[in-house]
Amino acid sequence: MTMNSCFKAFFLGCFFLLSNSLSGQVALVRGPYLQVGTSTGIIIRWKTSIPTDSRVKIGFLPDYFIYDFDLKTETTDHEVILDKLIPNTKYYYAIGSSQQVFQSGESNYFITYPNSVAEQKFTFWITGDCGNNSNNQRQVRDQYLKYAGNTPTDGWLLLGDNAYNSGLEAEYDLNFFKQYQETVMKHTVLWPAPGNHDYGNNAALQSSKQVPYYNLFTLPTKGEAGGVASGTESYYSYNIGNIHFIALDSYGKESMNYRLYDTLSPQVTWLKKDLESNHQTWTIAYWHHPPYTMGSHDSDGEGELSEIRKNLLRILERYTVDLVLCGHSHSYERSRLMKGHYDFSSTFDENQFLKNKSTGFYNGTPSSCPYFKQSSKKGEGIVYVVSGSAGQVGGSTSGFPHPAMLYSNRTEGGSLVLEIEKNRLDLKWLSANGNISDSFTMMKDVGVSKVVTLPYGDEVELTASWIGDYKWTRNGETTSSILVSPLTDTLYVVEDKLNCLRDSFNITVNRTTGIEDSSLENSDIRIFPNPSDGVFSIELPHPQFYKIELLDVLGNIVVTKVLHVDDFNQRIRLDVADFQIRSGLYLLLANDGQTQFVKKVIINRSH
C-alpha cells in the first residue's frame, strides 16, 4: 500500500468514525406520539436531543415506505402534519431526519379514522390523574394492554392531572411519556384535557397558560377534526365515526377572569354553539373537576365543583349529551341515568332525579337492563363518571359515597374502557387487578315496532334494532337478521336473551300485486295440491316431453327438469322439496317445443 493510499484509508476511517459519533449524538428524547387524527390526516410529534430537520416515512407494510413528509427547519421539538391519507387505513411509519431514521417497526403504526358516517365498533382508553410514576400507574396500564390484546385503541382520552406534581416538562417526560411511549402511545391518538396540576396549581398560570401542557400537545382549534372551531387548545371538540367528543378546561381562565362554570364565558359560549351544531349519534363530554364526588374531593364543599354542577350541567342536559367523564377525585364513582340535580348531595332523591332506575349492568341481575334513549330527543339524562385513579389512588370525604353514585371504589386504581358500536355504548371500569369491577350499557333507538307491507310471494329482511344477542319467534333463529316470505299476514318478534329488548314486525301481505295477477296463466295446465310443500302433480293436455322450469318472483329460474307425459297418464309428479328454495309464489313453465303452459305455484315449506 502506498503512502497516499494509507492516508486515504486513514482519512476515510476517521471520517466514518466522526460521522458515527455525530449521528450518535442525536437521541430520541420523547415520543413518537400521535395528535389530531382524522379520516385523512394525523400529526406525529417527537423530541430529539439536538436540532435536526424532520422526516416521517409511511407505507402499508412495516419498514417498507412509499411516502415521505419533510420539514426542513431544524428543531428539537418535531411536529409533522400528514395529509391526503386514505380513510380507515392502517399505515406504518418511521420518524427521523433526512440523514437517519430514529425509530420504526411493527409497533409504529396508526389507523386513520373512518368517514363520519361509519358505524363500526370503536374502542377508547380513558385515564384520569395518571401521571405520578407509581406502581399503580403501571399496573393500570398493563391491565389495559392485556384487556385490549390485538384490538386497536381508537383514541386515548386524558382527564387531566396528566403529570404530577406541577405539570413540568421534566415531570411529563418521566411520569407520563416514559410510562406509555413504548406501548399504547406509538399507535393511539391522544386527546387530552388539562387539570389543575397541569397548571401547576398556580393562579397566575390559569390566565397566562404558560405551562408545558400547551407546548407538548397539538390540539384542534379550527374544527379540523369535527365540531365547531374553538380557536384555542384549552377546549375543543372532535368526531370519530358516529361519536362527538368535547374536551373542556375546568381550571384555566378565559379573558383573565372566566372559568368553565361562568355561563357567559368564551368557553361556554363556544360549547353552546358546538352542541347546537352536533348531529352525531353519541355525545361525550370530559373535563377534570367532577360535579358529583365524595372521593378525595368533596363536590359539596369545593366551590369550583359545586359551581360546575349548579351552572354548567343545565346546559349539557338541554342537548343530547350522553356521558360526562371527569377525574380529580382519586377514586371511581358512577351514577345512573339522571337529570336535574344541581344542589347539595343531601337533596338527591332517586324518585325525582333518576331518568332510569336500572343499574345498567345488563347482566341478568334484577333491574339491570340497559339505559335507553332516543337520538332525536334532547334532555333524556346523562350518566356521570369519576375516574381519577389511573395513577393517584385513595382518599374520601365524610359523605362517601355520594348518594347519586350507584357504584364507588376508593381503594383500587383503574381506568375506563369505552366501546361503542352503532347504537350501543358500553363503559367498563377496568381495575388495576384486571377485573371489570363496574360497567353499564346504553342504547339508542331500540325496541321498535314496524308495520311492513309486502307483495304476495315477495320476501323481506328483518333486522333487530340493537347490537347483542337475539331470539326470534320463528324457528328459534339467533341471528340479528332473518329473511322471511310469509304468504299471509304474520307477526315476527325478536327479543334479547335477558328480556330487556323487543322488536316487532307486523307483515301485511298485499295480494293485489306481484305475479299472482299474471295474465300469462292458461287453463290447459293443472297443479295439485297447490299450495304444496314442494311435491305436487302436474296435469298437461297431451302426451309429450316437457321442459319444466320454476321461476321466482324476480324471474330467476330456480328449477329446470325434463319430464315425459305418456299415453296412459297425463299427470307427472314433480318433487322440488330437496332444492334449496324458500316458501313463496312461483311460476311454473311447461314447454313441449311448440306451446308454453304457465301456472302459478305456491310453495310453503312449513307444511
Side-chain angles (χ1 to χ4, degrees):
M1 181 180 292
T2 65
M3 183 68 69
N4 188 44
S5 61
C6 288
F7 178 79
K8 286 183 178 180
F10 175 80
F11 175 78
L12 290 174
C14 290
F15 179 80
F16 177 78
L17 291 173
L18 180 61
S19 297
N20 276 351
S21 176
L22 289 175
S23 64
Q25 294 176 7
V26 183
L28 187 60
V29 175
R30 178 191 308 138
Y33 55 107
L34 308 177
Q35 304 273 258
V36 194
T38 68
S39 61
T40 59
I42 200 166
I43 295 174
I44 301 181
R45 294 193 58 171
W46 69 93
K47 183 178 181 178
T48 52
S49 57
I50 62 174
T52 72
D53 58 1
S54 309
R55 172 170 290 176
V56 174
K57 304 167 75 68
I58 65 170
F60 303 113
L61 296 172
D63 297 320
Y64 184 77
F65 306 113
I66 55 178
Y67 302 111
D68 291 350
F69 294 84
D70 291 315
L71 291 179
K72 294 182 180 180
T73 303
E74 293 192 349
T75 182
T76 57
D77 287 301
H78 303 264
E79 180 179 329
V80 180
I81 300 173
L82 282 60
D83 59 4
K84 298 180 181 178
L85 305 178
I86 304 171
N88 209 16
T89 300
K90 185 175 185 178
Y91 289 90
Y92 292 91
Y93 68 90
I95 60 168
S97 68
S98 58
Q99 301 300 313
Q100 66 180 112
V101 172
F102 300 145
Q103 189 181 98
S104 65
E106 291 188 0
S107 60
N108 288 65
Y109 68 85
F110 61 85
I111 302 174
T112 52
Y113 291 134
N115 293 322
S116 59
V117 295
E119 293 185 336
Q120 64 195 53
K121 186 173 182 178
F122 298 95
T123 300
F124 304 92
W125 189 37
I126 303 161
T127 58
D129 301 71
C130 63
N132 67 343
N133 192 21
S134 65
N135 287 332
N136 178 63
Q137 179 185 12
R138 287 180 281 275
Q139 289 170 355
V140 169
R141 174 201 64 196
D142 293 345
Q143 290 298 341
Y144 175 72
L145 294 172
K146 181 179 178 181
Y147 174 89
N150 294 324
T151 301
T153 302
D154 295 292
W156 178 10
L157 282 58
L158 307 180
L159 303 181
D161 285 1
N162 310 303
Y164 284 90
N165 189 46
S166 303
L168 301 176
E169 185 170 355
E171 291 174 328
Y172 261 100
D173 284 334
L174 178 64
N175 300 341
F176 182 73
F177 288 99
K178 184 178 179 180
Q179 307 302 319
Y180 304 110
Q181 66 185 17
E182 294 303 319
T183 52
V184 66
M185 189 174 288
K186 289 183 180 180
H187 42 255
T188 304
V189 181
L190 279 165
W191 301 99
N196 49 289
H197 283 278
D198 299 298
Y199 278 97
N201 275 320
N202 187 301
L205 296 176
Q206 282 180 290
S207 297
S208 70
K209 294 184 168 53
Q210 298 300 308
V211 293
Y213 173 90
Y214 291 102
N215 296 323
L216 293 170
F217 297 115
T218 303
L219 306 171
T221 63
K222 302 177 182 179
E224 59 266 46
V228 172
S230 66
T232 174
E233 291 185 316
S234 297
Y235 48 87
Y236 58 95
S237 62
Y238 55 99
N239 295 334
I240 299 176
N242 62 344
I243 314 157
H244 185 63
F245 291 98
I246 304 171
L248 300 174
D249 180 1
S250 60
Y251 191 75
K253 290 182 179 180
E254 299 296 319
S255 302
M256 304 296 292
N257 185 44
Y258 294 109
R259 298 284 299 280
L260 176 59
Y261 47 75
D262 295 311
T263 57
L264 298 179
S265 68
Q267 183 170 195
V268 177
T269 299
W270 165 83
L271 175 62
K272 293 175 184 177
K273 293 179 181 178
D274 186 76
L275 287 170
E276 191 66 42
S277 65
N278 169 42
H279 301 289
Q280 301 297 94
T281 302
W282 297 101
T283 303
I284 297 167
Y286 61 100
W287 62 87
H288 188 61
H289 295 84
Y292 307 98
T293 182
M294 290 294 176
S296 60
H297 292 273
D298 180 357
S299 58
D300 281 351
E302 296 184 29
E304 53 199 349
L305 279 64
S306 60
E307 290 299 313
I308 287 174
R309 183 179 63 256
K310 292 175 184 178
N311 299 314
L312 182 69
L313 300 193
R314 300 173 190 270
I315 296 171
L316 299 182
E317 290 176 349
R318 288 202 297 265
Y319 293 92
T320 56
V321 176
D322 303 299
L323 179 62
V324 165
L325 307 171
C326 297
H328 196 51
S329 252
H330 304 150
S331 56
Y332 172 78
E333 303 166 84
R334 193 263 292 181
S335 79
R336 285 172 281 190
L337 190 65
M338 55 184 283
K339 179 185 178 183
H341 182 257
Y342 316 116
D343 210 336
F344 295 116
S345 60
S346 60
T347 67
F348 185 81
D349 182 351
E350 290 187 355
N351 295 321
Q352 182 178 358
F353 300 115
L354 291 185
K355 299 289 289 184
N356 188 318
K357 291 187 178 181
S358 171
T359 64
F361 294 152
Y362 197 30
N363 60 0
T365 57
S367 301
S368 68
C369 288
Y371 302 124
F372 300 123
K373 300 180 75 175
Q374 296 293 319
S375 58
S376 60
K377 292 184 179 180
K378 298 180 179 180
E380 291 198 305
I382 298 172
V383 174
Y384 295 88
V385 178
V386 179
S387 185
S389 59
Q392 298 281 69
V393 63
S396 62
T397 57
S398 59
F400 185 88
H402 193 290
M405 296 301 181
L406 172 69
Y407 179 89
S408 300
N409 189 314
R410 60 186 173 180
T411 60
E412 295 178 286
S415 62
L416 295 174
V417 181
L418 175 64
E419 298 170 335
I420 294 179
E421 183 176 5
K422 297 183 179 179
N423 61 342
R424 173 171 176 161
L425 178 154
D426 291 276
L427 188 74
K428 305 172 183 179
W429 185 56
L430 177 63
S431 65
N433 60 20
N435 294 327
I436 301 294
S437 300
D438 180 49
S439 66
F440 74 85
T441 299
M442 187 184 297
M443 295 184 181
K444 290 194 174 185
D445 306 321
V446 296
V448 302
S449 179
K450 292 184 178 180
V451 176
V452 180
T453 300
L454 188 67
Y456 187 84
D458 208 346
E459 62 185 13
V460 63
E461 185 176 54
L462 308 179
T463 301
S465 62
W466 66 87
I467 303 295
D469 55 61
Y470 318 92
K471 53 179 182 179
W472 292 84
T473 55
R474 191 196 75 164
N475 298 332
E477 289 101 328
T478 58
T479 55
S480 61
S481 300
I482 62 172
L483 197 63
V484 301
S485 181
L487 301 176
T488 59
D489 295 352
T490 306
L491 176 65
Y492 295 91
V493 175
V494 58
E495 298 177 330
D496 69 325
K497 294 179 181 178
L498 296 180
N499 298 315
C500 291
L501 298 154
R502 185 179 189 272
D503 289 346
S504 63
F505 302 88
N506 198 334
I507 308 298
T508 301
V509 178
N510 187 348
R511 293 178 171 272
T512 63
T513 61
I515 64 174
E516 185 191 30
D517 300 316
S518 173
S519 60
L520 297 176
E521 281 193 294
N522 55 56
S523 59
D524 293 327
I525 179 174
R526 295 177 58 202
I527 296 177
F528 48 88
N530 192 10
S532 75
D533 61 358
V535 181
F536 50 89
S537 295
I538 307 169
E539 187 174 283
L540 292 158
H542 53 79
Q544 185 58 272
F545 281 94
Y546 291 88
K547 180 181 180 182
I548 307 296
E549 294 178 324
L550 197 64
L551 281 65
D552 64 15
V553 292
L554 299 177
N556 299 312
I557 299 173
V558 294
V559 176
T560 300
K561 286 193 173 185
V562 176
L563 300 175
H564 181 250
V565 176
D566 58 33
D567 294 325
F568 301 100
N569 187 359
Q570 291 181 272
R571 295 180 182 179
I572 54 176
R573 184 173 180 271
L574 182 63
D575 183 352
V576 296
D578 292 335
F579 287 77
Q580 298 299 312
I581 60 175
R582 299 184 179 93
S583 298
L585 183 63
Y586 296 82
L587 284 182
L588 186 141
L589 280 60
N591 195 318
D592 64 1
Q594 295 182 343
T595 306
Q596 179 166 272
F597 304 91
V598 181
K599 199 70 173 179
K600 297 185 300 292
V601 179
I602 297 174
I603 296 177
N604 191 344
R605 303 303 296 271
S606 63
H607 285 184

